[in-house]
Amino acid sequence: MFRRTLMASVAVTMLGAVSAHAQTIGFSQIGSESGWRAAETTVTLQEAERRGIDLRFSDAQQRQENQIAAMRSFIAQGVDAILVAPVVATGWDSVLEEAAEAEIPVVLLDRMVDSSPDLYLTAVGSDLVHEGRVAGEWLVEAVNGADCRVVELQGTTGSSPAIDRKNGFEQGIAGADNIQIVRSQTGDFTRTRGKEVMESFLQAENGGADICALYAHNDDMAVGAIQAIKEAGLKPGEDILVVSIDAVPDIFLALAAGEANATVELTPNMAGPAFDALEAYFADGTLPEKFIQTESRLYTQADDPAAQYEGRKDLGY
């Protein structure tokens, strides 16, 4: 069975035939819930065009059922491969098995699934737990032993970034008894919800006077929360420390203005490594590692955020 051995049983002669013409690849994107997501889409389209790939794009609008329908459509079209950025981690077994039976390799982008690794070729992404841990370790150092009550804006409930970035942050502050997460709620990775939830946090915490820091699972929620903090008459970055993840252009504007304190980078170029892996696989059956990790780093106000903004503003964020 193909699904048991993934792609290893596919004949090299068939792979050579596939690689002889421009590949047709389906891409099921979550949606455009954040600036980072929009940049990932833009970079993926650019990478496909540069490589001569016929990329068939589907926007799921944050709904898993739309992604599953798109993947089944790609399978019916007989695409050579499928890229998917899964909106949540569970519920993928059936459609992945269908792709495997059709001998269509699937590559996960930036998020993981709970299915057997035998059902996809590889996954390209950051170490999401590491991202959260870096954010937590930064906060431990920043407060330097002072008591710190933290509010947390979580990502989409059930998504691997929300799960892993929460776990990583908790690891990062473990042992720092002076730091306590006092409120945690999903902002669904959007600016609008980030602002709304932050408003509720501020009301519940003495107008924000009892909040030391905000940890947001992505920059877009942080940007929304920064607006809520300002509207409450407080100074984000001073009265309330702000640390988040993604490194989108707008967070660098906030860093430059002193309204945010730190961000952990998640590169939007997941497609480049994915296409490289597929190219090698189609050429001679080379199987990639099951997880291809991208690089990420911590940025603070000391890292010339204005220049970082200029270098990223045209990437589609």
Side-chain angles (χ1 to χ4, degrees), residues 118-270:
D118 289 343
L119 294 177
Y120 55 87
L121 179 66
T122 187
V124 179
S126 173
D127 183 336
L128 301 172
V129 174
H130 173 72
E131 292 172 352
R133 187 184 305 116
V134 169
E137 290 170 349
W138 172 85
L139 184 61
V140 171
E141 183 174 350
V143 301
N144 193 28
D147 289 340
C148 186
R149 293 167 56 86
V150 180
V151 294
E152 178 184 29
L153 285 169
Q154 295 188 44
T156 302
T157 301
S159 68
S160 56
I163 295 167
D164 291 345
R165 287 173 176 174
K166 180 176 182 60
N167 289 340
F169 185 79
E170 290 174 351
Q171 291 175 21
I173 64 173
D177 295 337
N178 55 304
I179 300 176
Q180 179 185 9
I181 300 173
V182 295
R183 296 190 183 274
S184 183
Q185 185 175 330
T186 181
D188 215 26
F189 285 127
T190 68
R191 295 189 187 196
T192 300
R193 284 290 294 149
K195 183 175 185 290
E196 292 172 353
V197 176
M198 190 66 200
E199 288 170 345
S200 70
F201 287 162
L202 291 164
Q203 287 182 341
E205 294 294 327
N206 192 22
D210 294 338
I211 299 174
C212 159
L214 161 69
Y215 167 51
H217 289 190
N218 80 341
D219 291 336
D220 279 84
M221 291 189 294
V223 170
I226 286 168
Q227 185 61 37
I229 294 168
K230 291 195 290 186
E231 290 177 3
L234 299 173
K235 294 182 179 180
E238 295 182 25
D239 297 325
I240 297 177
L241 301 178
V242 178
V243 57
S244 53
I245 297 174
D246 278 355
V248 306
D250 281 354
I251 203 67
F252 286 106
L253 290 179
L255 285 165
E259 295 177 348
N261 303 91
T263 184
V264 183
E265 182 180 36
L266 173 64
T267 177
N269 187 14
M270 303 286 173

Side-chain angles (χ1 to χ4, degrees), residues 30-97:
I30 292 170
S32 54
E33 83 284 2
S34 66
W36 184 91
R37 186 68 54 192
E40 183 192 40
T41 296
T42 298
V43 172
T44 302
L45 294 171
Q46 291 173 345
E47 281 286 320
E49 182 178 6
R50 183 175 69 83
R51 296 166 186 254
I53 292 170
D54 176 12
L55 191 72
R56 300 183 182 180
F57 176 75
S58 176
D59 183 333
Q61 299 180 331
Q62 285 77 49
R63 298 176 67 89
Q64 184 184 35
E65 57 266 34
N66 292 344
Q67 289 199 291
I68 291 173
M71 291 178 67
R72 286 181 170 143
S73 176
F74 294 149
I75 293 167
Q77 294 170 44
V79 299
D80 298 317
I82 295 173
L83 307 181
V84 58
V87 65
V88 294
T90 59
W92 298 99
D93 286 3
S94 294
V95 72
L96 288 174
E97 287 172 356

